[in-house]
Amino acid sequence: MAKTYDYDLFVIGAGSGGVRAARVSAAHGARVAIAEEFRVGGTCVIRGCVPKKLLIYGAHFAEDLQDARRFGWDVPDCKFDWPVLRDNVLAEVERLEGIYGEILERNEVEVIHQRATVSGVNEVTLADGTKVSAGTILIATGAWPMIPDVPGAEHGITSNEVFNLDTIPKRAVIAGGGYIANEFAGIFHQLKSDVTIVNRGDRILRHYDEQVRDRLLQISLTKGIKFLFNAPFEKIEKKAEGGLVIHLAGQDPIEADLLLWAVGRVPRTPGLGLEEAGVKLGKNGAIEVDEDNQSSVPSIYAIGDVTDRVQLTPVAIREGHAFADTIFGGKPTRVDYENIPSAVFSHPPIAGVGMTEAEARERLGSVKIYTSDFRAMKNVLAGRNERALYKLVVDGENEKVVGIHMIGPDAPEILQSAAIAVKAGLTKPQFDDTVAIHPTMAEELVLMR
Ligand code: NDP
């Protein structure tokens, strides 16, 4: 007789991926429980993509209000009130958290508001000591901001805390040159902080196309954001009267009111009991899984950031859905990791899909590059000397558009549709055949010759 368990599926972690896996598995008829030690919604909803994007909107008004004058609006000197923006954003996050909870409830997923750890290949132990059994265990605990091992590192904060600040710092130092660093540099700068990005290497956003990231660097420098490259941290001191002194190798110390660590996120596996249960962990403690998200223990699966494949919410959601369809829906499904579009919500934003020029030159025999370097109409009238750059990377052998990379207003909104064309394998002549919508910025995508 088949062994019976308390649940068919026990999910640890109610972030985007875990919630999707739980609710779809339940919809397929599985008896599902999900444990969450913090708040339902996970990083993206509670302290990531969602509140960050709302802050980006809030911060952008600084430029919009200035530009409005050139469009005839008599804008008085406006004052910005951080607690109003912060509290409205936090209220929206709470609303979304409620919706996530309702979705789980509606699908009859049992939500357990406790930390859960793995205590056997089919067993989970809750923080209150209760032990429950499950036919399948899914780990969806996400990732956690990395804090480098530097004396005084504890005086810095991470993206976990940044949404709850009491005040906007006068001087902000941001460690790292990736997504979070460039997004928060834009936010703080617009909100009148003096911002310095400190990077251990010599480039920002290294996975993005070089020309596009260089453009962001130039625009950021022109706006007044400072950059220090090849500057490893030595120590951080807290001054008695408040403020920090940040010591960097080979540089003069810099003073700041806030230090934000944005040096990557590591899989959240410590203390979960995984290795004791026989689950193989890889670099940075990431759970090693196969194409079906199965770990080295057949009854234990993992999805999302905890596997350290692609740290993006929509990917975790797809993995969660594929897991549920495969295991409980009788519909084996695998995630296709080719041509995943992504964006950096910097000021202005960057978006990209497919191969960068450098990747294409390395992988393809012949490559054609088309670029459009232009000033958006709105920026021209506003007197804002900020140029957009769009770039098509084309396989010279068959004319397929294998990459699109852009920086400029609304780049992520524009790229999402164009990414369909890259995913579908459309060619440059097919782009050319498409009539432009005039006047738009997006029309540049079909006008590059
Ligand atoms: P990123 O991986 O984007 O960037 C990390 C940065 O920190 C890099 O510049 C890296 O330098 C540097 N770095 C890495 N390790 C160290 C170290 N030990 N000391 C000093 N510097 C170091 O990480 P983020 O923290 O910005 O974001 C984490 C992840 O979250 C992203 O990778 C992304 O997947 C996701 N995210 C996505 C967003 C979006 O989709 N818009 C927004 C925010 C986050 P180097 O280049 O030399 O390695």
Side-chain angles (χ1 to χ4, degrees), residues 146 177-180 183 199-200 206 262-265 311-312 343:
M146 189 183 48
Y179 282 87
I180 297 177
E183 292 179 344
N199 200 7
R200 67 170 174 185
R206 80 181 136 99
V263 292
R265 296 171 56 83
Q311 286 188 344
L312 294 174

Side-chain angles (χ1 to χ4, degrees), residues 19-258:
V19 167
R20 175 63 66 93
R23 83 157 168 84
V24 177
S25 299
H28 286 316
R31 294 168 305 132
V32 184
I34 189 166
E36 172 56 56
E37 63 180 326
F38 184 53
R39 293 173 67 181
V40 172
T43 301
C44 179
V45 175
I46 306 293
R47 51 195 172 195
C49 333
V50 171
K52 178 274 311 285
K53 185 77 186 275
L54 292 170
L55 291 189
I56 301 273
Y57 282 131
H60 210 281
F61 278 100
E63 287 184 355
D64 294 340
L65 287 166
Q66 261 177 25
D67 294 353
R69 296 189 172 114
R70 293 277 305 168
F71 286 84
W73 293 92
D74 177 14
V75 183
D77 279 336
C78 296
K79 282 222 303 264
F80 171 70
D81 192 341
W82 163 247
V84 172
L85 175 60
R86 179 196 61 201
D87 294 347
N88 285 342
V89 169
L90 295 179
E92 174 60 7
V93 164
E94 207 168 306
R95 188 183 73 83
L96 293 172
E97 182 184 6
I99 290 175
Y100 266 66
E102 280 164 26
I103 290 172
L104 290 170
E105 207 175 299
R106 219 180 309 131
N107 284 278
E108 294 180 10
V109 173
E110 188 179 334
V111 183
I112 299 170
H113 294 280
Q114 287 188 57
R115 179 169 167 79
T117 53
V118 173
S119 46
V121 296
N122 290 107
E123 189 189 79
V124 165
T125 300
L126 306 179
D128 67 5
T130 312
K131 288 189 187 304
V132 294
S133 63
T136 302
I137 297 170
L138 178 68
I139 311 296
T141 48
W144 198 247
M146 189 183 48
I147 298 185
D149 189 11
V150 176
E154 68 279 7
H155 300 311
I157 65 162
T158 69
S159 55
N160 284 350
E161 295 80 40
V162 75
F163 298 102
N164 295 294
L165 294 177
D166 290 333
T167 54
I168 291 296
K170 285 206 169 61
R171 299 159 303 174
V173 167
I174 307 181
Y179 282 87
I180 297 177
N182 284 285
E183 292 179 344
F184 272 91
I187 293 169
F188 283 143
H189 174 74
Q190 299 289 321
L191 301 182
K192 306 286 174 273
S193 285
D194 178 55
V195 179
T196 308
I197 287 188
V198 177
N199 200 7
R200 67 170 174 185
D202 61 359
R203 68 188 75 167
I204 58 168
L205 293 164
R206 80 181 136 99
H207 300 299
Y208 280 85
D209 190 85
E210 190 176 343
Q211 248 181 308
V212 166
R213 56 181 147 84
D214 275 356
R215 178 64 52 92
L216 177 64
L217 181 61
Q218 291 315 320
I219 294 175
S220 301
L221 286 166
T222 308
K223 283 183 196 288
I225 296 171
K226 289 171 243 168
F227 287 80
L228 292 175
F229 290 108
N230 302 309
F233 284 77
E234 280 186 337
K235 65 173 174 182
I236 294 98
E237 285 174 324
K238 198 177 171 99
K239 296 203 303 192
E241 66 274 26
L244 304 171
V245 183
I246 296 164
H247 297 264
L248 306 162
Q251 312 267 345
D252 291 335
I254 42 178
E255 298 206 0
D257 304 297
L258 179 110

Side-chain angles (χ1 to χ4, degrees), residues 329-412:
K331 201 168 56 170
T333 311
R334 284 179 176 170
V335 174
D336 175 2
Y337 293 93
E338 278 291 305
N339 292 318
I340 295 172
S342 63
V344 187
F345 295 95
S346 41
H347 276 75
I350 285 179
V353 64
M355 290 185 228
T356 61
E357 180 178 349
E359 284 165 349
R361 294 211 184 280
E362 206 177 293
R363 286 164 58 181
L364 306 177
S366 133
V367 177
K368 290 185 192 163
I369 301 294
Y370 298 84
T371 53
S372 176
D373 190 333
F374 64 100
R375 201 144 67 110
M377 199 186 222
K378 191 164 167 244
N379 280 348
V380 176
L381 196 75
R384 189 167 287 289
N385 191 17
E386 210 174 282
R387 297 184 74 81
L389 178 69
Y390 290 9
K391 182 166 177 178
L392 296 187
V393 181
V394 175
D395 184 339
E397 307 271 307
N398 53 22
E399 296 293 320
K400 259 192 198 170
V401 178
V402 293
I404 305 182
H405 307 279
M406 32 202 299
I407 176 167
D410 295 329

